[in-house]
Structures are given as C-alpha cells and as structure tokens.
Amino acid sequence: MWKTVKENIILQLTVIVLVIIAVFFFLLIQNMNYFRKIEQENARNLSNLVLTQAGHSLNSYYDNLGSISESFGYSQAVLDYFSEKPLERITDIENIKSAFGNTILLNRHLDSVLLYDNNMNCIGALGNHYYLPERMKILRAVEEFSADYYNKDSKDLCYAFYLPVYKLQSDEYMEQLGMCVFFLDSGALDDAIGNSLSAVGSAIELQDTVG
C-alpha cells in the first residue's frame, strides 16, 4: 500500500513539474512573440522615420538646386545669350562664364552646364567633360532631375538638372528660348541624405532600376 501511495505521489509531482514546464515554455514563447512584435514595430517606425527624413531632405535639395539653377538660367547674361546670334555669342561667352562661376560657388557638386536652343543644338558648354546622351536630348518644358552616365571619364552615375528657359517679356505665352542642363557629380545627394540620417544612425542606398 505504501508503495502505491509513493508511486501516486511521484506521479502527481511529475505531472505538476510537467505542467509547470509547459506553462513556463508557453509564457516564454508568448514573451518572445511579444518582444518580436515590439522589435518589428520599432523597426517599421524607424524605417518610416528614415524615409520621411530622407524624402524631406531630397525635396529641400531639389528646391534649392532649382533656385540655384534659375539664378543662372534667368540671369540677364544668359537670357541675352539665348537671344543673340551665333557671332554675338562668341563675344559674350565671358559673361556666361562669369555667371556660371558665381553659380558653382552655391553648390560644390555642380560641375558643368550645357546650353541648348529649341532645336537641341548646343550653343554653349561650361565646366568639366559631361555630355548628354542622344536618348536624353529632348527639350524639356518643365524642370527635371535625373541620373545617368553623363561623364565619359567615369563609370559612376551622375546627375543632371534640366531647366527650361523662357522669355520673361514676350507677346507669346510661355515663349521658350531653350534649356540649360546642369551636371552634378556622383556625390551630389550624399550630403543631403547623410545629414538627415545622421541623427538616427541609419543608412540608405539609392539604386537605379537595375539595382
């Protein structure tokens, strides 16, 4: 009889221990799932914060680049240059160089500018050796920012900002004189994005459509 009682006690204790272990593992799994959800939520919030900050920085950079480009494209020297005949432009190229020299002081990544008439004939080139691929030689009616292999001396993607230039005083509505294409080196966006991410200790990589 004592043996039977002892076995019952051992069995009961074993069941209790097993139940305790099962409850422990259940609570452990629940806690792990809870903390995993917390981590995922924190990661999601951080990602949204990073993307929002990067987006604001890029928009701000674009607006600033537009203002800098317009200060050149709509300077009196450049407007006169677009309206002049080819021989007159030869004598006035120094005025364009001076205007561009002042412009590049406002953005250290700005390397070059090409001036095109409405027929996409290049009527002026200032700065380093950048070029516009044939597929990109399209007269823009609005501002545009793009990335491509614009520098023949580099395998890195560079950036171009397209600024249409319109006559300020004209009887014709939106009479376009031509277009300025500003080229920026491959590090043009690094500072803009880096400043927005430094506070949260994150990193972001920009890729084209092929990665």
Side-chain angles (χ1 to χ4, degrees), residues 52-210:
T52 299
Q53 289 180 333
H56 288 329
S57 294
L58 290 175
N59 287 334
S60 177
Y61 185 86
Y62 183 89
D63 291 341
N64 180 256
L65 182 59
S67 298
I68 292 174
S69 301
E70 289 173 3
S71 70
F72 172 83
Y74 283 92
S75 64
Q76 193 59 52
V78 174
L79 291 173
D80 291 343
Y81 188 84
F82 271 111
S83 302
E84 291 173 342
K85 297 179 180 180
L87 290 179
E88 293 175 325
R89 291 172 182 155
I90 295 176
T91 59
D92 285 343
I93 190 65
E94 292 301 323
N95 294 333
I96 303 299
K97 289 181 179 179
S98 177
F100 185 64
N102 293 330
T103 302
I104 60 177
L105 295 176
L106 303 176
N107 188 319
R108 65 188 181 92
H109 296 287
L110 190 58
D111 277 349
S112 180
V113 63
L114 299 179
L115 282 70
Y116 290 90
D117 63 17
N118 289 335
N119 296 317
M120 287 307 295
N121 297 311
C122 185
I123 60 174
L126 301 172
N128 295 323
H129 304 291
Y130 287 79
Y131 79 108
L132 198 60
E134 287 297 325
R135 67 181 184 280
M136 303 297 287
K137 289 184 178 180
I138 303 171
L139 186 67
R140 270 69 168 181
V142 295
E143 294 179 356
E144 181 181 318
F145 186 80
S146 67
D148 209 319
Y149 298 97
Y150 296 114
N151 191 339
K152 293 181 179 180
D153 300 327
S154 174
K155 295 182 179 179
D156 295 330
L157 282 171
C158 302
Y159 303 97
F161 184 83
Y162 299 82
L163 176 73
V165 179
Y166 293 92
K167 195 171 184 179
L168 295 181
Q169 295 180 347
S170 174
D171 295 332
E172 180 183 341
Y173 177 70
M174 298 290 286
E175 180 182 356
Q176 190 164 356
L177 296 174
M179 179 176 69
C180 295
V181 185
F182 299 86
F183 297 97
L184 301 97
D185 61 40
S186 57
L189 299 183
D190 292 351
D191 293 341
I193 296 178
N195 291 336
S196 67
L197 303 180
S198 59
V200 293
S202 301
I204 191 170
E205 179 180 0
L206 295 180
Q207 295 185 342
D208 58 17
T209 54
V210 295

